């Protein structure tokens, strides 16, 4: 039985980490879900202090307008710019400053190098001058069937009418949770 005295002292409960208890015969497991692998250690990607420069070129390889979003020091999403289809933008950033990408109309997630979060790589003077930009291609991921269905529903059902749908409450919440950064 888990009690306050047997709770692991190095494990802190926060509202950002969902703790599930799985009780098995002779075994007690704690499974964490969310972004617990984040280097910041708090489960939420955010920028860290850095003096290591990174020079990138974000290339929109989609037919969608893409919001390029920087995750600031608190993890808040700051829209850097909206990139038209098949266009690029050069960005001077820093190592440890993560970026995410969203469809500017629907808020659907987009990816770079098969990842949702882009972590810039560093440039040093040994790499030569002028610095060479790292080309980062923004693309559409392979969405799960659930994600794709929700995209279609969001496209045709106004947000204020989602609660009237005859679907499970968890799907209604998920449909409403998509936020477009403005």
């Amino acid at each position: 039985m888990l009690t306050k005295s047997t709770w692991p002292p190095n494990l802190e409960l926060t509202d950002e980490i969902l703790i599930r208890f799985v009780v098995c015969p002779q075994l007690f497991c704690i499974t964490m879900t969310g972004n617990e692998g984040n280097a910041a250690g708090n489960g939420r990607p955010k920028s860290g202090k850095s003096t290591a420069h990174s020079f990138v070129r974000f290339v929109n390889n989609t037919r969608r307008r893409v919001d390029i979003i920087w995750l600031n020091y608190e993890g808040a999403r700051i829209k850097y710019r909206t990139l038209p289809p098949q266009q690029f933008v050069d960005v001077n950033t820093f190592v440890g400053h993560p970026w995410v990408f969203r469809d500017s109309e629907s808020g659907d997630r987009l990816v770079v190098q098969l990842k949702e979060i882009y972590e810039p790589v560093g440039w040093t003077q040994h790499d030569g001058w002028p610095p060479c930009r790292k080309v980062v291609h923004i693309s559409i991921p392979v969405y799960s069937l659930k994600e794709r269905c929700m995209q279609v529903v969001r496209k045709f059902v106004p947000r204020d009418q989602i609660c009237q749908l005859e679907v499970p409450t968890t799907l209604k919440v998920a449909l409403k949770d998509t936020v477009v950064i403005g």
Side-chain angles (χ1 to χ4, degrees):
M1 172 175 234
L2 183 65
T3 65
K4 189 173 183 178
S5 62
T6 60
W7 182 258
N10 61 341
L11 186 60
E12 181 179 338
L13 288 173
T14 69
D15 58 351
E16 295 177 341
I17 297 176
L18 171 66
I19 306 292
R20 285 186 286 155
F21 300 98
V22 182
V23 181
C24 309
Q26 309 296 338
L27 179 63
F28 176 75
C29 304
I30 298 175
T31 304
M32 300 174 124
T33 59
N35 292 323
E36 64 274 2
N38 181 327
N42 69 352
R44 189 167 151 185
K46 63 183 179 180
S47 289
K49 293 181 182 180
S50 176
T51 58
H53 295 273
S54 181
F55 302 96
V56 297
R57 172 172 285 178
F58 294 125
V59 180
N60 180 358
N61 287 342
T62 75
R63 294 182 183 164
R64 303 174 181 200
R65 293 175 50 80
V66 173
D67 287 340
I68 298 173
I69 303 162
W70 172 62
L71 303 178
N72 74 5
Y73 299 100
E74 288 80 37
R77 294 171 179 240
I78 308 298
K79 184 165 88 171
Y80 180 76
R81 108 182 284 180
T82 299
L83 192 57
Q86 307 302 316
Q87 298 294 311
F88 70 87
V89 63
D90 291 336
V91 176
N92 298 340
T93 185
F94 294 92
V95 172
H97 286 213
W99 296 80
V100 295
F101 310 88
R102 295 288 183 263
D103 180 306
S104 64
E105 184 179 318
S106 68
D108 295 337
R109 68 183 172 85
L110 301 171
V111 296
V112 294
Q113 302 164 337
L114 303 176
K115 295 181 181 177
E116 190 172 345
I117 300 174
Y118 174 71
E119 295 279 351
V121 295
W123 171 86
T124 65
Q125 292 179 347
H126 301 293
D127 295 329
W129 189 261
C132 226
R133 292 197 178 271
K134 168 77 173 161
V135 178
V136 178
H137 296 276
I138 304 166
S139 60
I140 299 171
V142 177
Y143 295 113
S144 71
L145 180 58
K146 177 183 172 183
E147 287 174 306
R148 186 65 190 123
C149 289
M150 289 176 49
Q151 290 169 357
V152 172
V153 170
R154 279 195 307 269
K155 186 174 183 174
F156 293 107
V157 178
R159 186 175 170 88
D160 61 344
Q161 293 180 11
I162 289 174
C163 60
Q164 298 171 13
L165 294 174
E166 293 185 18
V167 297
T169 303
T170 55
L171 290 178
K172 290 178 188 179
V173 170
L175 285 166
K176 283 188 168 191
D177 278 350
T178 301
V179 177
V180 178
I181 308 295

